[in-house]
Amino acid sequence: SQQGEEDPQALSIQEGENATMNCSYKTSINNLQWYRQNSGRGLVHLILIRSNEREKHSGRLRVTLDTSKKSSSLLITASRAADTASYFCATGTIIQGAQKLVFGQGTRLTINP
Amino acid sequence: DSGVTQTPKHLITATGQRVTLRCSPRSGDLSVYWYQQSLDQGLQFLIQYYNGEERAKGNILERFSAQQFPDLHSELNLSSLELGDSALYFCASSPPDRLYGYTFGSGTRLTVV
């Protein structure tokens, strides 16, 4: 079953604009991760934010986490055509010493030149 | 190249048959995860192995089984295949530290006809 729910399901913007994707989840987590998937390819890990962190940056990516609202957002600034992909949030929980990662359905992002 | 190797890349087989998907994790990673991705179900966690032992089970059917060998490569066996088993099957690996992101392979596209 899916834990994270991304919003919107699809997003289309012009190159150079910022893209914001949201993720909501239901249960307590240890961390939340964002991944990118180009069509038909493997997922690529973008960023991990721990449950005790509120914001994290990596290059043009900014991730926020609000554990009180059980939500996270991924902001991609100054978007490029190469950012066109599906973006997934994944909630990480530690069960019996092992991390279990559950993925949402993803947001399909299209950057128009 | 992510460092996680999956073979074969494509597989076409008939209903009722059995297939084996193979995964070699990134060097140094002890955990291997299998995921199934289909259009209607999204990315579903199947099973996790850590250093040769099963660690966690997800939505894995009884017709499916997996194992991790002493050299840490893993195999996912799918038997009595049905049309609905057609999907992308991903393997991912992670280091011993439980708060790392996963490294995904490029997947095996299984088509059951």
Side-chain angles (χ1 to χ4, degrees):
Chain A
S1 62
Q2 305 297 342
Q3 155 90 295
E5 292 185 7
E6 282 97 336
D7 170 55
Q9 290 188 347
L11 179 62
S12 181
I13 60 174
Q14 293 300 121
E15 194 167 17
E17 294 180 339
N18 296 341
T20 299
M21 289 159 271
N22 301 296
C23 171
S24 60
Y25 57 92
K26 297 174 182 173
T27 62
S28 296
I29 61 173
N30 293 96
N31 65 82
L32 189 142
Q33 303 178 28
W34 286 89
Y35 288 78
R36 183 187 73 230
Q37 183 182 33
N38 290 87
S39 181
R41 299 193 169 209
L43 282 76
V44 175
H45 178 254
L46 297 176
I47 198 165
L48 180 154
I49 186 166
R50 301 179 185 219
S51 60
N52 60 355
E53 297 175 313
R54 291 296 166 257
E55 188 171 311
K56 208 161 182 180
H57 297 255
S58 176
R60 293 184 296 113
L61 306 180
R62 173 180 168 247
V63 168
T64 62
L65 179 64
D66 187 335
T67 52
S68 66
K69 294 182 180 178
K70 291 186 169 59
S71 67
S72 173
S73 67
L74 170 67
L75 168 68
I76 303 174
T77 60
S79 63
R80 304 166 182 169
D83 295 329
T84 294
S86 292
Y87 291 81
F88 294 86
C89 72
T91 53
T93 53
I94 305 300
I95 300 174
Q96 295 179 332
Q99 176 176 240
K100 183 179 178 183
L101 209 57
V102 179
F103 287 80
Q105 294 280 9
T107 291
R108 179 150 186 79
L109 174 65
T110 302
I111 308 299
N112 302 303
Chain B
D1 181 9
S2 67
V4 177
T5 303
Q6 286 189 250
T7 57
K9 291 192 185 307
H10 302 275
L11 201 49
I12 301 175
T13 189
T15 55
Q17 294 298 304
R18 172 190 168 95
V19 296
T20 297
L21 312 183
R22 184 188 167 99
C23 169
S24 293
R26 197 178 58 163
S27 178
D29 288 356
L30 299 181
S31 287
V32 168
Y33 313 82
W34 286 98
Y35 282 82
Q36 178 194 58
Q37 186 178 38
S38 58
L39 284 175
D40 57 341
Q41 293 291 321
L43 203 64
Q44 296 282 336
F45 168 67
L46 297 179
I47 198 164
Q48 178 201 357
Y49 280 84
Y50 177 83
N51 203 20
E53 293 188 2
E54 182 184 305
R55 253 295 171 75
K57 248 180 177 177
N59 302 322
I60 188 166
L61 300 172
E62 285 191 10
R63 300 182 286 109
F64 296 0
S65 65
Q67 56 183 326
Q68 186 179 29
F69 295 86
D71 66 352
L72 301 179
H73 91 271
S74 177
E75 292 181 356
L76 178 66
N77 300 298
L78 315 176
S79 61
S80 303
L81 285 168
E82 303 174 358
L83 296 177
D85 297 327
S86 294
L88 265 170
Y89 290 84
F90 287 106
C91 167
S93 70
S94 70
D97 186 322
R98 58 195 185 187
L99 286 184
Y100 269 87
Y102 293 4
T103 301
F104 278 79
S106 56
T108 294
R109 182 174 294 280
L110 174 67
T111 304
V112 183
V113 297

